[in-house]
C-alpha cells in the first residue's frame, strides 16, 4: 500500500535500496546532500551533484531535465551519513526570474528499483523560491524514514547549502549553476532525463518513458498536450475517481490545476497532526473574522437606515408633498444594497472556508475526527502521545452548515463539566432530529426542553464518548479512567467502557467509595507535586501508575460530604498539572445548597452541554458559538469497537503498575 505525504509528514521505509523520482513542469537540476546526525554537511564532497554524480550509495543524473531519477542504496552509505536530502534547483534563464510558485507543483515518488510505488508527495505552497529541499531520508534508532520537507529558498542554491552548514556554499552553488548553464536546452523535454544508473534493472512490465513527441512549452498552462510529469505513471499520483453527476462541471484533465484549491495540512507545523491542528485553528479564526465583518457591515447599514428614516420624518413639510415616502423607500434600498453586498462577501468567504473544511475533515486523525469519520474503521492504537483532542463542533448562525472542530490541546489544562441541568435548548429553528435522530429530544424544530431523565442520560453518554475518545488517543497504558457513581445509576451508559474492558474497575458507589477514590487521587497529586518540586521523580514508588488519570464523577454532588468537596476542589485546581483530570456530570442547580463554596469549582471547569447550546464565546471577537457535543451516530457501534481495540492493546502491553 502506497502513502501520499504532505509537507512535514514522515513515513517508515521497509527497504534500503530505493529510487527517488522527481517530476516537474520545467527542466531542473537535482542534487543530493549527505548530512550527519544534525543534518550538517562537512564539505563539498558531501553533495552529490552534476559535476560529481556518484558517491557510495547514491547515483543521479547530471542532466537538466523535467524528470529526475536518483538511485539510493542506504546500506552502502558511509556510517557518518544519517540524512540524505534531495535538492532541486531551477536553472537561471537570462532575463527571467522565476520561482517554484509560478509553476505546477513538483511531485516526488520513492519507488523500488523495479518501479513499485512506495511513498509519494506533491510539494505545494511554494512562492519565489528557486532552490528546494524536496524530501529527506533520515536514520533514527537504526531504521530509515522519509520526510516530505518542501523547504524552499528564494536566495537560490547558495542560501540552501549555507542553511545546511556547508562552509563553501557560495562556491559550490556557483559550480552547480555553471554546470546547468553549460548544458544545452533539451530538444524534447517530454523525453525524460535519459538513462540513469540504478542499483537493479527495471522490473518486467515497467512503463517506458516516451522518447519522442511534439515540443512542449511547460510555461504555457493551457497547452492541450499533456506534460511529461503527467505521463509518468510511476511518479504522478493516481487520478481521482470520476465525480457523481450532481457534482457539477469539472475541469478537463489537461487543464491547469487550480492554484487556490485547498490542501489538507497546508499550515505551519513540524508534523501532519500539528499542521492539521493549526489549519483548523485558522479556519476558526477566519470564520470568526468573516462573520464579524458581516455583522459590522449589517449593523452600520441598520444604524444608517435608522438615522435616514429619522431625518425624513423630522421635516413636517416633506410629509405634505409625499417626499417622506420616497426618502424612506430610498433609505431602505440603500440599506438592502449594503446588506446584500456584505452578504455576498460573506458567502464568498464561506465558500472558500467550506472548501477547506471539506478537505481537512476527512484527513483528520482519530483524536481530531468525528465519530462518523471513516478513519475510525481502520483505527489502530497510537504509539505516541497525542497533541490535541476533539470535544465537539462549533458553528455560527450565519453559517449553520459549516462546522468547525472544537480542538483542545493535551494534556487538558482544565477539567470538564457536562451540564445535565435544564437549559434553553434546543433553540428554535435548530434541526435537532437531523443531528441526533429523535433520541429523547422530541420532534425537530422545537423550543421544548428535553425530559430531565433523558437529558441526564444524554449528559452521561457525552461523558462516555469524550472518555472513549481520550482513551483512544493515547498509547496503551497512557491513559486511565475511573468512575465515581455514588447513586449507582450510571450502569447502562457505561456499557461501551465496561463490556470492552477499557474500564477495568467497577464504578465507586456510595459515600465510602467516593472517599476512597478521592483519597487515593489526592495522595497521588501530593506525591507527584513533591517529586516534581524536588526533581526526584526517580524516587516515586514503583507501584505508582504513570498513566494520566481521568475521573468521571456522575450525578455530582450526590454522596459528597464537606471533606470530599474540598478534595474535589483540590483535584480541580492542582490535578491537571500532574496528570489528574476531572469530568463532572452535574446539574448546578442541585448544588445550590452549598452556596458560593462551589463557585470556584464551576469556574475551574470547561462547561459542555449534552445538546446543542450557544454558551461558548471566543475571546477574540466575542461571538456566541453554537456547541454540538461529540456523540456517536445513532445505533452506531463505533465507540464499542474502538474500546475493544484499546482493551486488546492494553492486554498485549501487559499489566500496569498500581
Amino acid at each position: 500500500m502506497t502513502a501520499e505525504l504532505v509537507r512535514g509528514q514522515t513515513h517508515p521505509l521497509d527497504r534500503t535500496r530505493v529510487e527517488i523520482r522527481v517530476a516537474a513542469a520545467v527542466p531542473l537540476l537535482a542534487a543530493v546532500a549527505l548530512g550527519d546526525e544534525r543534518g550538517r554537511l562537512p564539505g563539498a564532497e558531501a553533495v552529490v551533484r552534476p559535476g560529481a554524480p556518484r558517491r557510495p550509495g547514491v547515483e543521479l543524473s547530471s542532466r537538466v531535465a523535467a524528470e529526475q531519477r536518483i538511485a539510493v542504496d542506504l546500506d552502502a552509505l558511509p556510517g557518518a551519513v544519517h540524512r540524505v536530502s534531495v535538492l532541486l534547483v531551477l536553472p537561471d534563464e537570462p532575463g527571467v526570474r522565476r520561482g517554484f510558485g509560478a509553476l505546477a507543483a513538483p511531485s516526488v515518488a520513492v519507488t523500488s528499483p523495479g518501479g513499485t510505488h512506495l511513498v509519494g508527495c506533491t510539494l505545494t505552497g511554494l512562492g519565489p523560491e528557486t532552490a528546494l529541499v524536496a524530501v529527506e531520508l533520515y536514520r533514527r534508532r537504526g531504521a530509515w524514514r522519509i520526510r516530505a520537507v518542501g523547504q524552499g529558498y528564494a536566495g537560490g542554491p547558495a542560501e540552501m547549502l549555507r542553511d545546511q552548514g556547508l562552509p563553501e556554499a557560495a562556491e559550490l552553488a556557483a559550480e552547480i549553476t555553471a554546470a546547468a548553464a553549460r548544458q544545452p536546452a533539451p530538444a524534447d523535454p517530454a523525453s525524460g532525463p535519459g538513462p540513469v544508473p540504478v542499483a537493479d534493472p527495471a522490473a518486467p512490465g515497467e512503463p517506458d518513458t516516451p522518447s519522442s513527441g511534439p515540443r512542449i512549452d511547460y510555461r504555457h498552462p493551457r497547452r492541450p498536450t499533456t506534460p511529461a510529469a503527467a505521463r509518468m505513471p510511476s511518479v504522478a499520483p493516481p487520478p481521482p475517481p470520476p465525480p457523481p453527476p450532481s457534482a457539477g462541471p469539472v475541469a478537463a484533465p489537461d487543464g491547469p490545476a487550480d492554484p487556490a484549491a485547498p490542501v489538507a495540512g497546508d499550515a505551519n507545523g513540524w508534523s501532519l497532526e500539528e499542521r492539521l491542528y493549526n489549519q483548523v485553528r485558522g479556519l476558526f479564526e477566519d470564520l470568526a473574522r468573516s462573520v464579524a465583518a458581516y455583522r459590522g457591515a449589517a449593523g452600520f447599514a441598520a444604524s444608517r437606515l435608522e438615522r435616514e428614516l429619522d431625518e425624513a420624518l423630522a421635516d413636517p413639510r416633506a410629509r405634505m408633498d409625499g417626499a417622506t415616502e420616497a426618502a424612506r423607500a430610498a433609505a431602505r434600498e440603500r440599506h438592502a444594497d449594503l446588506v446584500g453586498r456584505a452578504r455576498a462577501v460573506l458567502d464568498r468567504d464561506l465558500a472558500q472556508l467550506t472548501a477547506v473544511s471539506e478537505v481537512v475533515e476527512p484527513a483528520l486523525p482519530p483524536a481530531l475526527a468525528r465519530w462518523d469519520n471513516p478513519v475510525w474503521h481502520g483505527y489502530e492504537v497510537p504509539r505516541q502521545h497525542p497533541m490535541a483532542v476533539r470535544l465537539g463542533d462549533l458553528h455560527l448562525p450565519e453559517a449553520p452548515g459549516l462546522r468547525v472542530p472544537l480542538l483542545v490541546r493535551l494534556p487538558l489544562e482544565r477539567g470538564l463539566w457536562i451540564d445535565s441541568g435544564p437549559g434553553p435548548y434546543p433553540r428554535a429553528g435548530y434541526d435537532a432530529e437531523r443531528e441526533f435522530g429523535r433520541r429523547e429530544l422530541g420532534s425537530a424544530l422545537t423550543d421544548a426542553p428535553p425530559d430531565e431523565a433523558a437529558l441526564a442520560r444524554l449528559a452521561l453518554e457525552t461523558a462516555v464518548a469524550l472518555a472513549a475518545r481520550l482513551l483512544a488517543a493515547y498509547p496503551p497504558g497512557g491513559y486511565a479512567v475511573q468512575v465515581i457513581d455514588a447513586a449507582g445509576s450510571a450502569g447502562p451508559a457505561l456499557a461501551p467502557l465496561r463490556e470492552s474492558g477499557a474500564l477495568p474497575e467497577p464504578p465507586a458507589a456510595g459515600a465510602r467509595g467516593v472517599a476512597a477514590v478521592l483519597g487515593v487521587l489526592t495522595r497521588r497529586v501530593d506525591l507527584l507535586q513533591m517529586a516534581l518540586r524536588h526533581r526526584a521523580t526517580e524516587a516515586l514508588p514503583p507501584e505508582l501508575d504513570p498513566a494520566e488519570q481521568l475521573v468521571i464523577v456522575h450525578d455530582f454532588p450526590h454522596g459528597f460530604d464537606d471533606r470530599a468537596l474540598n478534595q474535589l476542589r483540590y483535584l480541580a485546581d492542582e490535578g491537571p498539572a500532574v496528570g489528574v483530570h476531572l469530568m463532572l456530570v452535574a446539574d448546578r442547580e442541585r448544588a445550590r445548597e452549598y452556596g458560593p463554596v462551589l463557585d470556584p469549582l464551576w469556574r475551574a471547569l470547561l462547561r459542555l452541554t449534552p445538546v446543542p447550546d450557544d454558551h461558548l464565546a471566543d475571546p477574540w471577537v466575542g461571538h456566541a458559538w453554537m456547541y454540538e457535543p461529540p456523540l456517536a451516530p445513532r445505533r452506531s457501534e463505533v465507540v464499542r469497537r474502538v474500546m475493544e481495540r484499546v482493551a486488546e492493546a492494553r492486554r498485549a502491553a501487559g499489566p500496569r503498575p498500581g
Side-chain angles (χ1 to χ4, degrees):
M1 181 178 179
T2 62
E4 293 296 327
L5 309 182
V6 298
R7 293 169 63 183
Q9 190 177 6
T10 65
H11 192 273
L13 288 176
D14 59 356
R15 63 197 70 195
T16 58
R17 302 177 74 180
V18 296
E19 186 176 276
I20 302 174
R21 304 185 179 188
V22 180
V26 298
L28 48 74
L29 188 146
V32 176
L34 307 177
D36 57 16
E37 292 182 350
R38 297 183 300 167
R40 316 302 285 178
L41 304 179
E45 69 280 358
V47 180
V48 187
R49 55 197 188 276
R54 293 177 179 83
R55 287 286 187 272
V58 179
E59 297 181 16
L60 55 78
S61 170
S62 59
R63 298 181 56 191
V64 175
E67 298 173 6
Q68 298 281 355
R69 296 190 182 188
I70 304 168
V72 179
D73 185 352
L74 298 173
D75 287 338
L77 292 173
V81 175
H82 289 261
R83 188 173 301 180
V84 179
S85 302
V86 176
L87 315 179
L88 304 179
V89 178
L90 288 175
D92 291 336
E93 296 184 22
V96 177
R97 178 64 176 174
R98 178 175 55 185
F100 281 101
L103 309 169
S107 62
V108 180
V110 179
T111 72
S112 68
T116 303
H117 192 284
L118 304 176
V119 183
C121 66
T122 301
L123 305 173
T124 60
L126 300 172
E129 300 91 342
T130 58
L132 170 69
V133 179
V135 297
E136 65 180 15
L137 313 180
Y138 64 97
R139 179 161 36 194
R140 176 170 293 177
R141 299 186 181 95
W144 285 92
R145 300 178 65 89
I146 180 172
R147 176 185 288 115
V149 181
Q151 175 64 55
Y153 296 86
E159 181 183 359
M160 177 174 61
L161 296 173
R162 192 179 306 114
D163 189 49
Q164 299 194 7
L166 185 64
E168 56 270 27
E171 294 80 0
L172 186 58
E175 175 187 333
I176 294 175
T177 303
R182 287 194 298 267
Q183 297 189 29
D188 182 13
S191 62
V196 179
V198 293
D200 287 336
E206 181 181 359
D208 294 328
T209 304
S211 60
S212 63
R215 184 178 180 84
I216 301 172
D217 182 1
Y218 286 89
R219 291 170 294 180
H220 197 305
R222 299 187 183 277
R223 177 84 56 178
T225 306
T226 304
R231 295 207 307 266
M232 189 173 178
S234 59
V235 175
S246 59
V250 179
D254 294 337
D258 182 7
V263 178
D266 189 12
N268 295 328
W270 290 103
S271 65
L272 177 61
E273 184 182 16
E274 184 179 3
R275 290 173 180 270
L276 290 170
Y277 173 86
N278 290 333
Q279 196 168 16
V280 170
R281 185 178 180 86
L283 180 66
F284 173 82
E285 294 178 354
D286 289 343
L287 179 58
R289 184 187 301 110
S290 297
V291 171
Y294 169 73
R295 290 180 179 179
F300 168 76
S303 62
R304 195 177 79 165
L305 173 63
E306 182 179 0
R307 185 180 69 252
E308 291 178 348
L309 292 178
D310 289 342
E311 292 174 355
L313 295 174
D315 187 0
R317 293 173 298 178
R319 303 176 192 171
M320 303 298 295
D321 55 8
T324 300
E325 289 302 323
R328 293 171 65 181
R332 291 192 180 97
E333 288 181 3
R334 286 190 291 270
H335 171 267
D337 178 64
L338 281 176
V339 174
R341 283 190 287 169
R343 184 70 209 193
V345 173
L346 176 63
D347 290 341
R348 180 200 64 195
D349 293 345
L350 292 181
Q352 178 65 23
L353 295 177
T354 301
V356 175
S357 177
E358 291 174 349
V359 170
V360 172
E361 189 72 45
L364 293 176
L368 309 183
R370 294 168 59 104
W371 283 115
D372 57 0
N373 193 313
V375 71
W376 288 106
H377 297 293
Y379 167 77
E380 295 182 1
V381 179
R383 299 298 179 186
Q384 297 179 347
H385 285 262
M387 174 183 175
V389 71
R390 186 175 190 153
L391 299 184
D393 291 341
L394 300 172
H395 75 270
L396 291 171
E398 289 82 358
L402 179 56
R403 264 60 174 177
V404 179
L406 173 58
L407 306 183
V408 176
R409 295 293 292 262
L410 294 176
L412 295 173
E413 297 181 357
R414 301 173 63 187
L416 304 177
W417 164 30
I418 314 301
D419 190 356
S420 61
Y425 36 69
R427 295 186 56 179
Y430 185 82
D431 193 347
E433 183 178 356
R434 180 179 64 82
E435 292 296 329
F436 297 98
R438 289 191 175 269
R439 303 189 83 121
E440 268 59 63
L441 295 179
S443 62
L445 305 177
T446 177
D447 282 324
D451 177 75
E452 183 177 352
L455 190 60
R457 184 161 61 253
L458 283 173
L460 187 54
E461 288 180 8
T462 302
V464 171
L466 289 171
R469 182 177 292 272
L470 288 165
L471 285 169
Y474 279 79
Y479 213 80
V481 175
Q482 301 181 57
V483 178
I484 295 177
D485 183 24
S489 59
L494 296 176
L497 301 180
R498 290 287 295 145
E499 295 176 2
S500 64
L503 183 64
E505 301 295 333
R512 181 174 298 179
V514 172
V517 172
L518 294 182
V520 171
L521 292 175
T522 302
R523 288 192 294 273
R524 175 187 178 89
V525 172
D526 290 339
L527 275 174
L528 291 172
Q529 281 187 336
M530 287 189 293
L532 293 174
R533 187 181 304 117
H534 298 287
R535 300 180 180 178
T537 54
E538 69 282 354
L540 289 169
E543 66 274 9
L544 185 71
D545 187 358
E548 293 190 41
Q549 305 289 317
L550 175 67
V551 186
I552 302 176
V553 182
H554 179 239
D555 203 16
F556 175 81
H558 184 83
F560 280 72
D561 55 17
D562 291 343
R563 175 180 174 83
L565 288 177
N566 289 331
Q567 289 177 321
L568 195 68
R569 287 181 53 185
Y570 175 72
L571 294 177
D573 293 336
E574 306 295 336
V578 291
V580 177
H581 312 285
L582 291 182
M583 184 186 294
L584 262 62
V585 182
D587 178 4
R588 188 171 183 176
E589 291 297 327
R590 297 180 58 184
R592 288 291 183 186
E593 61 186 72
Y594 293 96
V597 175
L598 292 181
D599 287 349
L601 175 64
W602 305 119
R603 289 194 296 266
L605 304 176
L606 174 62
R607 176 176 175 256
L608 303 176
T609 55
V611 290
D613 187 44
D614 58 352
H615 65 282
L616 293 177
D618 67 83
W620 188 30
V621 293
H623 291 325
W625 292 77
M626 177 69 76
Y627 167 78
E628 298 173 15
L631 294 173
R634 191 169 179 238
R635 297 191 181 94
S636 173
E637 293 292 322
V638 61
V639 176
R640 190 184 304 271
R641 289 197 300 267
V642 169
M643 289 298 96
E644 290 174 354
R645 295 179 186 177
V646 170
E648 291 174 1
R650 286 188 170 186
R651 289 190 291 268
R656 296 182 288 115

